[in-house]
Amino acid sequence: MRKSAVILSLFLIAFVSFSQEKTTKPACFRVSSFSSSLGFSGAFTSNTRSDYYTLKSVAEDPGIFVDISDMKDNGGSWGYSGMYPMEGFYYSGGGSGNGNLLVNLGLTPYSKKLGKYRENRELRLSLGGSFGTRNNFFYYDNNFTPVDTFQSVSGGGYVFADSLVSRHYNYTLNFTEVNFGLSYLFKTDVNRVVHFYAGAGLNYGITLNATVDLNEDSYRSLYYYNENNKPSDDDSFYYYGEDYESSFNSTKTKLTGPMMFARVYIPMGVSIRLSKKPTSFFNHVNLYAELDPGVEFQFLAGEKTYPNPYVGVAL
């Protein structure tokens, strides 16, 4: 009986020792930071005529897309930003940007080799939302109809009057998305008031809503000219003086499926601690600014993938 009690005691001591050793083993990661940020991102998107017809093929209502075979383009094949006048205000044309709201959780990895947590390393998990625009197209046409011809009484030649009808079509792909991110950061000395960091990151987003918005306007007016300033079809006319008629129309259609994004980027930033005093609450509060250059892969409703040069800014 005594022998059994001794064996049981030794077993319990060994079990307790093992349990204590197991519970004191450090975790692979520990939570090191929690942050949120507001930012803006921009992408250089392809806006060719071929891309216009690709967008038309994934729209629920392709009827809002006009025949552009005889129309002119306004802007290049690749667009980042642009503004076009429209009855006293401006609407975006060619813009490919989005606003971002992110919530981040930072995890510090444990190094078995060093036997401690590496404060100058961080695995950052992100959850956020974005809204903005991507592909944008602007087309127009001008129709001139001769109305009258006048001769100057002073012998200055002829003045021609044409009826001009000018039409403009602006298509913008707008979206809202939810996204998830993962990045690994290498930091300078985090014990300093100011430290810098850089690393590599991935982000995946899927749209909650994606629509093609059409802004259409037309102007009708009399256009006067002489032999020295004849109108050109390459000019995007709007209106002249007080004597014109105009009409405006806006409509939209959804895409046949969600649009998705995959982004690969290089986060580069600076972090500033608000207080040097160890006992101060603000000793644990940092302000940071970050630049995220990279490449975005835009998956358009399963029809086409666009590799867009991409850059983001976050505060």
Side-chain angles (χ1 to χ4, degrees):
M1 183 70 179
R2 182 180 298 177
K3 184 177 181 181
S4 299
V6 171
I7 294 176
L8 180 61
S9 299
L10 292 174
F11 175 78
L12 290 174
I13 293 173
F15 178 77
V16 170
S17 300
F18 175 77
S19 299
Q20 289 178 343
E21 180 181 355
K22 185 176 181 180
T23 55
T24 57
K25 182 180 179 181
C28 295
F29 293 93
R30 73 177 182 188
V31 176
S32 56
S33 67
F34 178 81
S35 62
S36 62
S37 65
L38 291 172
F40 172 81
S41 303
F44 288 84
T45 57
S46 178
N47 301 311
T48 65
R49 288 175 177 253
S50 175
D51 299 320
Y52 173 85
Y53 287 112
T54 298
L55 186 59
K56 177 181 178 180
S57 68
V58 296
E60 287 187 354
D61 181 13
I64 73 168
F65 290 80
V66 297
D67 182 6
I68 61 172
S69 55
D70 294 326
M71 293 187 180
K72 302 292 183 180
D73 300 32
N74 193 331
S77 297
W78 283 77
Y80 176 72
S81 63
M83 302 295 289
Y84 299 106
M86 182 175 174
E87 192 64 12
F89 65 93
Y90 285 76
Y91 62 89
S92 174
S96 298
N98 50 276
N100 306 310
L101 173 63
L102 290 176
V103 177
N104 307 304
L105 178 67
L107 304 175
T108 299
Y110 181 79
S111 173
K112 292 182 179 180
K113 183 177 181 180
L114 298 177
K116 63 178 182 179
Y117 288 95
R118 305 195 66 174
E119 301 295 341
N120 61 345
R121 302 285 190 273
E122 185 176 87
L123 179 66
R124 188 174 64 184
L125 308 177
S126 302
L127 172 65
S130 303
F131 66 93
T133 67
R134 277 301 177 265
N135 306 78
N136 189 282
F137 308 91
F138 185 82
Y139 299 102
Y140 67 93
D141 66 354
N142 304 306
N143 295 310
F144 295 92
T145 303
V147 175
D148 208 342
T149 302
F150 306 94
Q151 186 173 15
S152 173
V153 295
S154 60
Y158 291 96
V159 176
F160 305 95
D162 285 2
S163 173
L164 167 62
V165 178
S166 183
R167 295 183 177 88
H168 310 88
Y169 303 89
N170 177 239
Y171 295 86
T172 304
L173 176 57
N174 296 314
F175 68 93
T176 56
E177 69 161 293
V178 61
N179 52 65
F180 310 90
L182 175 70
S183 57
Y184 194 79
L185 306 178
F186 299 85
K187 303 179 180 181
T188 59
D189 189 354
V190 296
N191 294 316
R192 294 181 177 271
V193 175
V194 179
H195 73 267
F196 300 88
Y197 62 87
L202 298 171
N203 181 276
Y204 168 79
I206 183 169
T207 57
L208 303 176
N209 184 46
T211 62
V212 179
D213 291 49
L214 165 62
N215 287 300
E216 174 187 355
D217 56 71
S218 64
Y219 298 88
R220 182 187 299 272
S221 63
L222 282 177
Y223 184 73
Y224 297 93
Y225 61 95
N226 58 34
E227 294 181 353
N228 298 321
N229 64 342
K230 293 182 179 181
S232 170
D233 287 339
D234 293 332
D235 294 327
S236 179
F237 296 95
Y238 284 90
Y239 55 85
Y240 304 90
E242 301 293 334
D243 187 19
Y244 73 93
E245 296 178 0
S246 61
S247 64
F248 307 94
N249 180 52
S250 296
T251 187
K252 66 175 62 179
T253 180
K254 292 185 177 181
L255 300 186
T256 55
M259 186 168 55
M260 293 180 287
F261 300 95
R263 304 176 179 103
V264 182
Y265 63 96
I266 302 174
M268 299 181 292
V270 56
S271 181
I272 304 174
R273 193 165 68 248
L274 296 186
S275 176
K276 296 182 180 180
K277 298 179 180 180
T279 57
S280 172
F281 168 78
F282 292 101
N283 182 258
H284 305 285
V285 179
N286 288 44
L287 294 179
Y288 75 96
E290 183 173 306
L291 181 68
D292 300 322
V295 177
E296 170 191 88
F297 296 93
Q298 174 190 353
F299 304 96
L300 184 59
E303 183 68 23
K304 188 173 182 179
T305 300
Y306 293 99
N308 304 324
Y310 176 89
V311 64
V313 177
L315 296 173

